[in-house]
Amino acid sequence: MPAPALHTPRLTLRGHVMADLEALCDLFETDRACFMGGPLPRKQAWRLFASEVGMWDLRGFGHWGIETKDGTFVGQVGLSQPPHFPETEIGWTLLEGAEGKGYAAEAAQAALHWAWENGFETLVSYITPGNDRSVALAERLGATPDATAPRPDGESASETLVYRHRADADGSPEAYA
């Protein structure tokens, strides 16, 4: 199943293309990737990228590349649940020059709407303590801390915060927005 294209006022969420790889590998090699399991060498970044793309075929959900309406690639947002994740996660990654413009919130909200429309009732965001920007975004999206949620295999509460995203009580994406 290919990733469906989603459109927001300023962004297009679309399936990843090979052209995205270079920018993401560059990002994952830097200290900015410390909250994303990095820094990672290109070989590992490639495997991460490939798994996020392949998740669409394997699970029916995955990551989207985020681009502005002029076609500039600015990052990714998506749903993932590799074998060591007890729940489906929504996560986001922006390239350095794209931060602070509201792109992550806009893209994540579109991904959440897609999730609710496709039968997900809850999602989590696994966030490394100290990643204040991701905590702020999760809260801006309406997520709340869930101290009782299971964490990825081998991770403790001191290593991973869990923020719970839920559709509005009536289940409609419109109410969630």
Side-chain angles (χ1 to χ4, degrees), residues 51-91:
S51 72
E52 291 167 345
V53 170
M55 201 161 301
W56 282 104
D57 283 330
L58 297 171
R59 303 295 306 257
F61 55 84
H63 280 73
W64 289 271
I66 305 168
E67 60 182 39
T68 59
K69 292 296 183 183
D70 70 2
T72 303
F73 176 68
V74 296
Q76 68 177 10
V77 65
L79 311 180
S80 61
Q81 191 176 9
H84 65 286
F85 280 17
E87 297 187 59
T88 304
E89 179 193 35
I90 181 168

Side-chain angles (χ1 to χ4, degrees), residues 159-170:
E159 297 170 300
T160 304
L161 305 172
V162 180
Y163 275 77
R164 172 95 36 213
H165 302 264
R166 297 183 196 278
D168 195 79
D170 70 5

